[in-house]
Amino acid sequence: MQRSAPRLARLLASAAVPVMLIAGCSSGSDSSSSKKASDGNPSVSGSASPSPSPTLAAAKYTKLPDPCKSVTQKTVKQLVPKVKDTSGLAAKSSDATARGGCSWNGLDGFQYRWLDVAMQRFETVPGIGSAEEQAVKRYGEQVAAATATKGAKSGAVAGLGGDTATMVTAEVTKDKEQYQQVTVVTRTGNVVAVLSYNGAGMESAKTPKAADLQKGAKAAAKEAMASVSTTNT
């Protein structure tokens, strides 16, 4: 089969898998949410004092790492051969202390690879919940979103350095091309990270093995988890 360069270019233009942890979504870490939750009506003179609220645990992590530095350039080069930019493309974020993301992609011959990491950090907010409670909830939502893909297979992953992790693997067809897609959702304290790694053999080239992508995704996710601790020491 003759491989068409223009058709390949069109395929690459639409190959990126969307980040699941979308930058700009509302969260408990937003300063506006915190203010609204903490503001109260002035006490009325002579009225009974309100019952004290239970003390919520403070956020374990106060900073987010730079998502584009959360995976080492060495690992990026290994997972994304002929990567366009080892520094990565940062996602736009309305609050870099609360959420962020970065992606890398490359084409080696007709083998295409895409790597993406997105992170979200939560703050303790009275009336909403502790930072970790909110992170636990978001973690569950992200796992559910990943497993919603038709034919997806998921399972717990150990040894990544966080509190909990789930890996989801699926085959996705896009523009008549077959992609192997691996998503690793992790949580450490009040930070949730979603790492996506997918690949395809363009123009009828061989589709990458799921096991190879899973191994690479785990290595990158482990580095992303470690970066959270390092940034907060």
Side-chain angles (χ1 to χ4, degrees):
M1 175 180 177
Q2 185 177 2
R3 291 169 176 169
S4 166
R7 179 170 180 269
L8 182 58
R10 290 196 300 272
L11 290 170
L12 292 178
S14 61
V17 176
V19 177
M20 288 194 296
L21 204 66
I22 302 297
C25 61
S26 61
S27 76
S29 59
D30 291 342
S31 59
S32 58
S33 299
S34 301
K35 186 176 186 301
K36 291 178 181 178
S38 61
D39 287 346
N41 294 325
S43 299
V44 178
S45 178
S47 62
S49 300
S51 300
S53 300
T55 302
L56 297 174
K60 180 178 181 179
Y61 299 113
T62 59
K63 303 175 184 177
L64 267 187
D66 179 346
C68 289
K69 295 180 180 178
S70 65
V71 179
T72 64
Q73 291 194 355
K74 179 182 178 180
T75 297
V76 169
K77 291 177 181 178
Q78 290 175 341
L79 300 188
V80 188
K82 293 190 177 180
V83 59
K84 289 183 178 180
D85 184 357
T86 55
S87 298
L89 177 63
K92 293 181 180 180
S93 174
S94 59
D95 184 355
T97 66
R99 61 184 72 80
C102 192
S103 62
W104 302 261
N105 69 88
L107 180 67
D108 186 3
F110 286 87
Q111 285 295 324
Y112 178 77
R113 297 293 185 273
W114 169 277
L115 178 66
D116 180 285
V117 62
M119 295 182 172
Q120 186 163 6
R121 185 184 67 85
F122 294 86
E123 287 280 6
T124 293
V125 181
I128 295 179
S130 71
E132 186 161 340
E133 288 172 343
Q134 294 176 72
V136 168
K137 180 181 178 182
R138 181 54 56 87
Y139 172 83
E141 292 171 347
Q142 296 302 314
V143 171
T147 54
T149 302
K150 184 178 180 181
K153 298 178 181 179
S154 64
V157 184
L160 299 188
D163 293 309
T164 185
T166 299
M167 177 180 287
V168 183
T169 305
E171 290 189 4
V172 180
T173 301
K174 186 174 183 180
D175 294 329
K176 298 182 180 181
E177 299 290 348
Q178 195 75 20
Y179 290 80
Q180 284 285 359
Q181 177 176 303
V182 178
T183 303
V184 183
V185 185
T186 55
R187 181 185 67 81
T188 178
N190 56 311
V191 174
V192 176
V194 179
L195 185 135
S196 300
Y197 182 40
N198 68 78
M202 298 296 186
E203 297 285 0
S204 300
K206 190 174 181 180
T207 303
K209 295 181 180 179
D212 292 338
L213 294 189
Q214 290 171 345
K215 182 179 179 180
K218 286 172 65 176
K222 185 174 182 178
E223 289 185 356
M225 282 289 93
S227 72
V228 176
S229 297
T230 301
T231 300
N232 286 272
T233 54

